[in-house]
Amino acid sequence: MAATSRGTTPVPPDVRPRLTVLSGPSGVGKSTVVAHMRKVHPEVWLSVSATTRKPRPGERHGIQYFFVSDDEFDKLIANGELLEWAEFAGNRYGTPRRAVCERLEAGEPVLLEIDLQGARLVRESMPEAQLVFLAPPSWDELVRRLTGRGTEAPDVIERRLEAAKIELAAEAEFDTTLVNTSVEDVARELLALMEVA
């Protein structure tokens, strides 16, 4: 299928940007890095996930998430409309395939910010995707960030730390690792990997 941008001008395959997937352990600062990067470069398109969880105050359908019912989510899976999906805390989250493919075919840089399980599923369905691992400067710093939030019970923090050990062990599965010592530096390095001028 020929990709088009602005009418009928094809985007040569060698110029088309790759999907970039940013992943890493909970508390490493993925959302902070992405928010900073998009403030500086709003043209970077961040995929909006579909979820079965209910909206929180201030969240709007199509902005933070596409809020769908369990039946609607089942249909998305059955029809192959999700690049990846996972269940977390009793709710399901997934990346709609069509929007990602349309943006890439139009020559736009696309970023997914997802967990390890999701990154592995994207690698299966889109082997050409670029997987970037965001690592903490040290284990002690990750523990400090997770416990310093002060928003979660000790047993939840313990579960997150156990999960973080597993996620850190998967670093070798990624194409590139960025160490989050500075949000500005990591955002700049991520933009360079995405070849955003």
Side-chain angles (χ1 to χ4, degrees), residues 63-75:
I63 306 295
Q64 285 81 13
Y65 289 98
F66 292 110
F67 297 99
V68 299
S69 68
D70 277 310
D71 286 347
E72 288 170 317
F73 204 94
D74 289 341
K75 284 181 190 157

Side-chain angles (χ1 to χ4, degrees), residues 5 42 52 55 71 93 114 139 147 189 193:
S5 164
T52 57
D71 286 347
Y93 298 81
I114 52 178
W139 173 253
T147 54
E189 289 168 17
L193 287 171

Side-chain angles (χ1 to χ4, degrees), residues 6-26:
R6 288 193 193 143
T8 57
T9 309
V11 177
D14 57 331
V15 176
R16 192 177 304 149
R18 282 195 298 171
L19 170 65
T20 300
V21 175
L22 181 67
S23 193
S26 177

Side-chain angles (χ1 to χ4, degrees), residues 49-61:
S49 297
T51 183
T52 57
R53 83 159 169 75
K54 299 291 178 235
R56 293 182 182 135
E59 288 183 335
R60 296 199 323 259
H61 181 75

